[in-house]
Structures are given as C-alpha cells and as structure tokens.
Amino acid sequence: MFIKEITKKYDGKAVVDSVSFEIPKGKVLSLIGPNGAGKSTVMGIISRLIARDAGIVDFKGQDIGKWKSRELSKKLAILTQSNHIQMKLTVSELVAFGRFPYSGGRLTKEDEKIVDQAIAYMELEEFRDRFIDELSGGQRQRAYIAMVIAQDTEYILLDEPTNNLDIYHATNMMKTVRKLCDELGKTVVLVLHEINYAAFYSDYICAFADGKIARFGTVEEVMTRENLSEIYQVDFEIQMVKGKPLAIYY
Amino acid sequence: MNNRAHGRNLRRLAVLVLLAVLAAAAYMLVGVKFSNEKLFLYAMHIRAPKLAAMVITAFAIGGASLVFQSVINNTIVTPCLLGMNSLYTLIHTAVVFFAGSGSLLAVNANASFAVDLVIMAVAATLIYSYFFKKTNHNVLYVLLIGTVLTSFFSSIQSTLVRVMDPNEYDNLLSTLVASFSNINSEIIVFSLIVLAAVIVVLRKDLALLNVLTLGKDQAINLGVDYDNCIRRLLLGVTLCIAVATAMVGPISFLGLIIANLSRQLLKTYRHGWLILGSVLFGVIVLVGGQVIVEHVYTYSIPVSVFITVGGGVYFLYLLLTRQRV
C-alpha cells in the first residue's frame, strides 16, 4: 500500500500538502506530529473516510476509490474515536458486527467461532453480555479492537487509540497493537500523540509538520534530538531505555 | 442477542400484539347492536375503513420515526422536524384561502389527498434528496433546513389566516387537526400502494439499519455506502410521513412517543424488532385513543390533542431522565 502526492484543502488552505509514503507490510507504523500537522487527515484519506482533493492511495495495485467498499472492508479496517452508539448493544453483538463484510447481518457457524476467538483474544469473556455504554473507557476500547480483529483484515488503521485512556490502559493498548503485528501478522498504522509510545512500540515513524512529511524512517532514524526539536519546536533529550530511544521534553 | 433477552423481547412483543388486537376489537365492537343485522353491518362499514387508516398511520409513522432516529443517530428527534406537518397546514389554508371552503379541492377527500401527497412528495424529494447532496451529505444541515422551512410555512399560513374571512377560517380549522373521519377505501388502497413501493425500493437499505447505528465511520469501515444509503432512507422516511399526514392530518409527533416506547421496552439494536414494537405501540395509542374519544368524550376532543399532551409530557420525561443527549 502506498500513498502518492495526496492533498487535502480546507477553504483553499492545504492541510495535507502533496504527501507521499509507503506503508511497510507486516510492521507497525506510527504517524506523529503536532496538532494540525495533518496526520489524522492523512489517516482519514487512506481509510476512505475523508475525500481527498488530489493524489493516489494505491492498495494492492488499485486506487482505494475504485475498490468495492464491501471488498475493501475485508482487507482494511479503521477505528476512529467517534464511536457514540445510541443503541443498546452488548459486547458480543458489537464484535459480531466485525463479520458484517463477510456475511451481512446473518452469522454463520464460522463467523461465530471467529467472534468468540476475538473476544477471547481481548480477554472480554466476562463482559460479553454487558452493554457497551455500561463499560469503562478502557474496556470499551478493547471491545472495539475485538471487533476489528473479528473483521480479520490485513491492514488495521487506528486513529489515536490511546486517547482518553489512563497510563495503564494506554500501555496495554500499545502492547495489544504490538501483538496484532507480531502474533497475528497484521500491518498496523496508528496516529499517536504520545511520541514515546510511538518510539517504544512501532517499527517505523512518520512525522508530520505543516501538512508535509517532516521525517520518515525507522524509530532510530526519526527519534533524534535535532529531528524532534525541529518538528515540535521544543527542547528534547533522547535517552536509551531497553534499546529504544525515548524522548524527554519539558 | 443472548437467549434470555431474546425470549424476554418475544414475550413483550406478544403482550403488545395482544393489546393491539384488544384495542382493535374494542374499537370495532363497543356500542354495536348485534341483534339488528343491518345496524351491525352499517357500523362495520363505518368503522372498518377508520380502523384500517389507523393501522396504516401507525405503521407509516411508527416505522418512519424509528428509521429517522437511527439515521440521525439521535433518539429524541421527532419527524416533525421534517416540516411535513406545517406544509400540510399551509396547503389546506391556501386551498381555502384561494379557492374557498366550498371548492372541489377542499370538499372532495380524494382530491385533497392527491394534492397533499403530490406537493409533499415533490417537496420531500427536493429537500431531502437534492439539498442533502448539495450540503455534502450533512444530516444536520438538512434538519436545519427542515426547521427553517417549518417556520417559513407556518408564517405564510398565519399571514393567510389573518386576512381570511372568519367563517372560512372556522371551516378550515376543523381540517387542520388530525382526524380519521375523512377516510375512504380509495385513499386507503392508494396509501398502501405508496408505502409498499417505498419498502420494496428501500429493502436493501433497511437491512443496513443495524450497521448504520454504529455511526458513520464504523458503517463505512464495514463496507456500507453510507451517504447514498442515508439519502435514500431519509427520502423514504419523508414519503412515509407524507402519506400518513396527507391521510389523517398533522400527526407525526406521535412518532417520537411510539419509537421511544419501543426502544425502552425492547432494549435491543435490532431494527426488525424495534420497528415492530413501534408500530404496535402506534396501533395501541391511536386505536385505544380513538375508542376513548368516541365513547367517553363523544367526539368533543380529537385524538391528536391527547397525543400532543401525552407526547409533550413524555418528551420532557425523556429529556430529564437521559444522562447524555
């Protein structure tokens, strides 16, 4: 999957300006950058939630706009933060929606097995008959991840999955992301605000500033004092912890 | 849905069906003289079309309101926001104002139904199909347009009423309240055809309702053509409301009550169940209400008054008890 010269303008001002990069298969890629740098918009464009003004999003040799939406949803999953459900929906019902691209509203035996596995994988068995709106933020996020697992796609896109979570749940979320890649072989792309999570848990980092790519590379290449100071306009120190470069800022 | 909740909902729906049948039986049979066959047949002849009209209204309003709420993703919106009530009021006022209360359009039930339906259908297509595309599929803009149009129609209507002959106004007033007395079998058959056509055309979109309630992002993620689906559903909802309104008058506020009663009773996301519950509640409220209107108040208060008063109280209750809106 690669992105070529995508551009998005709001009122004539380019929020994403001719951005090109390739998503490395089977790896975790984090998109970082200050507020308004365009990372979430890029995520929206790759996941077909936001219309682009120019450029190509090539997915398996075909532009994403040319894919049948139903077919695409078997290969590419996106989880955003705008999940406000007005309905009374239990965890297992939510996870079952992940099978919708395959079997419409009717679950087959195979689907039910996959749903059960996804629930077990996210350790949600004890909550499976609880209503989503009665869960805590961390549990709800896990339920959504279980749904994405049930969707069984090669590519998983997560827009700020650690938002609104405390340190315990956010860290567990990042460990899950790592497991999705290492154990289940998924390609994960995520938008992150917390750069140390990006540094510790991802393989590649793509840093945005002013709608353009400021740096793209492995964690070690991007996480340097000069790069980060330039992108975020604050002073940084880099310390190696467990072989990973972590940033200290103040 | 797990089996316990499934069984519970099944039992609750059975009770609703029973109540609806009881209401219908009461409506058909209370005060009828069985001893005289001619009088019995006469009563049936008068009551059967009215009952059919009430069931169709309950079906159109109940189904449409529930779908409307799911499309907007808000359970306290009422389909009154679509502006069909005030358009109906305006059309009837304009007919009496320009053609007079003795004109064919005002007197003939079929002609008046046809005019209402055509104007509402054109308005609905224009507003909820064309504007929806124009505003980049923003549901809130469309609701705003509906609200603005509602007050626009009402303003014209009240202007007409101010310069109208008081006698004509007196005649007009009785047609502006929802009532089931102007129904004949032609109108019923035609309404049924329109409703059936809407359902057949939208059957694929209706099957996607459960997924739509996950929100726009999730629906697209799961492969739904969201914008077009919403546009078609919104148009279908408006047409259903238009049919019901053209048939009996401004009654869409009923939708808010019955859709929410159904959601409260059947705690599920499955629209098949919810729509069924909403329709059954509609039948119970309308038919039961009509029994009370005809036999307790002997037609002195129209059923829509009960619906508005009861609905208003219920609406306040919904607003106050919901933690997040």
Side-chain angles (χ1 to χ4, degrees):
Chain A
M1 184 176 192
F2 66 84
I3 288 105
K4 205 172 158 194
E5 292 168 1
I6 53 171
T7 299
K8 177 74 189 174
K9 289 179 179 159
Y10 288 117
D11 294 332
K13 189 185 173 297
V15 283
V16 175
D17 190 3
S18 195
V19 166
S20 308
F21 62 93
E22 190 173 344
I23 295 172
K25 195 156 169 29
K27 303 285 181 195
V28 177
L29 167 67
S30 293
L31 313 182
I32 62 164
N35 290 337
K39 51 194 189 305
S40 278
T41 311
V42 168
M43 187 66 121
I45 292 172
I46 357 186
S47 58
R48 78 188 177 295
L49 294 180
I50 298 177
R52 67 204 118 122
D53 293 326
I56 296 167
V57 181
D58 185 284
F59 186 65
K60 295 180 180 291
Q62 194 173 194
D63 191 89
I64 215 158
K66 295 215 174 75
W67 276 79
K68 274 205 175 125
S69 196
R70 184 63 80 82
E71 286 308 309
L72 197 58
S73 63
K74 295 175 187 171
K75 307 252 186 286
L76 182 94
I78 166 85
L79 187 59
T80 60
Q81 288 310 299
S82 57
N83 297 312
H84 302 291
I85 296 185
Q86 294 268 344
M87 290 281 155
K88 278 291 182 187
L89 199 65
T90 65
V91 170
S92 59
E93 287 164 351
L94 178 76
V95 179
F97 270 118
R99 301 306 297 167
F100 185 82
Y102 299 89
S103 51
R106 277 174 230 277
L107 293 190
T108 62
K109 281 269 174 290
E110 176 72 16
D111 290 328
E112 275 167 22
K113 213 176 88 192
I114 294 170
V115 168
D116 286 342
Q117 282 168 355
I119 290 174
Y121 194 81
M122 293 311 292
E123 293 165 12
L124 285 163
E125 283 106 333
E126 54 178 315
F127 305 112
R128 59 176 302 149
D129 289 328
R130 289 264 294 276
F131 287 117
I132 293 289
D133 55 0
E134 292 165 1
L135 298 179
S136 73
Q139 291 161 348
R140 196 176 309 151
Q141 190 74 329
R142 269 158 61 202
Y144 274 103
I145 296 283
M147 172 183 154
V148 167
I149 293 175
Q151 205 178 333
D152 195 20
T153 54
E154 282 171 55
Y155 286 76
I156 296 179
L157 312 177
L158 304 169
D159 193 358
E160 302 192 22
T162 58
N163 227 7
N164 300 323
L165 295 184
D166 59 24
I167 295 175
Y168 173 79
H169 288 105
T171 309
N172 278 332
M173 177 53 59
M174 291 310 297
K175 285 181 179 156
T176 307
V177 166
R178 201 59 249 178
K179 270 165 62 185
L180 289 176
C181 178
D182 295 342
E183 292 177 8
L184 303 179
K186 312 276 186 197
T187 305
V188 187
V189 184
L190 55 164
V191 171
L192 280 178
H193 260 297
E194 174 53 66
I195 50 176
N196 285 336
Y197 279 144
F200 202 83
Y201 291 100
S202 43
D203 301 305
Y204 292 89
I205 291 181
C206 182
F208 286 85
D210 293 327
K212 293 193 173 78
I213 294 181
R215 294 287 183 278
F216 182 99
T218 60
V219 170
E220 287 74 15
E221 286 164 6
V222 177
M223 291 290 288
T224 66
R225 206 171 139 177
E226 295 74 26
N227 283 346
L228 293 180
S229 305
E230 186 192 317
I231 295 162
Y232 286 96
Q233 309 280 323
V234 256
D235 289 333
F236 277 90
E237 299 283 345
I238 300 294
Q239 292 230 321
M240 294 303 280
V241 177
K242 291 191 175 172
K244 303 275 184 186
L246 296 189
I248 299 165
Y249 45 93
Y250 37 83
Chain B
M1 198 185 319
N2 59 35
N3 288 330
R4 222 178 57 231
H6 188 83
R8 187 199 63 201
N9 282 344
L10 212 57
R11 276 196 303 282
R12 289 182 175 177
L13 273 180
V15 171
L16 281 187
V17 170
L18 193 70
L19 284 176
V21 169
L22 275 180
Y27 180 73
M28 291 302 280
L29 299 176
V30 166
V32 170
K33 292 192 173 58
F34 291 97
S35 49
N36 186 331
E37 194 189 342
K38 274 197 176 145
L39 276 179
F40 176 74
L41 285 178
Y42 179 68
M44 291 301 116
H45 181 70
I46 296 287
R47 293 181 186 194
K50 281 196 191 174
L51 181 66
M54 283 188 272
V55 173
I56 295 172
T57 308
F59 180 78
I61 299 275
S65 308
L66 211 119
V67 173
F68 182 60
Q69 293 183 342
S70 292
V71 165
I72 307 290
N73 215 349
N74 187 330
T75 55
I76 56 164
V77 290
T78 111
C80 295
L81 287 173
L82 293 168
M84 289 298 127
N85 282 353
S86 52
L87 184 55
Y88 174 90
T89 314
L90 174 61
I91 295 170
H92 280 249
T93 310
V95 163
V96 171
F97 185 82
F98 291 111
S101 61
S103 69
L104 175 82
L105 282 180
V107 174
N108 186 315
N110 287 0
S112 143
F113 177 76
V115 168
D116 286 342
L117 196 59
V118 168
I119 295 182
M120 285 183 191
V122 170
T125 317
L126 188 70
I127 301 168
Y128 298 106
S129 204
Y130 175 73
F131 278 137
F132 193 44
K133 253 189 189 159
K134 270 279 172 213
T135 56
N136 280 328
H137 303 97
N138 189 332
V139 176
L140 292 179
Y141 270 131
V142 173
L143 282 191
L144 198 61
I145 292 171
T147 318
V148 170
L149 283 180
T150 302
S151 46
F152 177 63
F153 294 148
S154 316
S155 311
I156 301 179
Q157 193 257 350
S158 66
T159 311
L160 291 181
V161 164
R162 264 160 227 266
V163 287
M164 189 181 267
D165 175 5
N167 294 320
E168 295 275 78
Y169 180 63
D170 214 34
N171 275 326
L172 169 69
L173 204 55
S174 64
T175 68
L176 295 186
V177 241
S179 88
F180 294 94
S181 45
N182 259 340
I183 307 296
N184 60 46
S185 48
E186 285 148 47
I187 291 179
I188 289 175
V189 170
F190 193 72
S191 306
L192 276 178
I193 292 172
V194 175
L195 291 178
V198 168
I199 292 170
V200 170
V201 171
L202 293 181
R203 65 190 184 285
K204 277 191 182 147
D205 299 295
L206 289 169
L208 295 175
L209 273 172
N210 293 342
V211 181
L212 288 181
T213 50
L214 292 179
K216 182 174 182 170
D217 290 354
Q218 278 305 334
I220 294 176
N221 171 39
L222 294 173
V224 173
D225 180 8
Y226 188 82
D227 289 338
N228 284 319
C229 187
I230 291 280
R231 187 170 57 86
R232 285 192 295 266
L233 284 173
L234 207 52
L235 185 61
V237 162
T238 323
L239 285 178
C240 285
I241 301 281
V243 168
T245 309
M247 194 161 69
V248 300
I251 198 158
S252 56
F253 191 56
L254 173 73
L256 174 79
I257 313 167
I258 57 182
N260 274 296
L261 284 174
S262 173
R263 282 176 203 276
Q264 254 186 348
L265 186 76
L266 313 165
K267 289 189 169 41
T268 175
Y269 68 99
R270 291 182 189 224
H271 282 78
W273 295 70
L274 288 173
I275 290 174
L276 191 60
S278 177
V279 171
L280 287 170
F281 267 118
V283 172
I284 295 168
V285 169
L286 279 181
V287 180
Q290 194 69 18
V291 171
I292 296 172
V293 165
E294 291 189 5
H295 298 287
V296 179
Y297 293 98
T298 53
Y299 292 100
S300 58
I301 304 173
V303 70
S304 56
V305 171
F306 291 108
I307 291 171
T308 311
V309 171
V313 173
Y314 183 63
F315 184 64
L316 279 179
Y317 161 80
L318 283 178
L319 280 180
L320 294 173
T321 51
R322 280 166 60 110
Q323 284 102 356
R324 54 194 174 81
V325 174

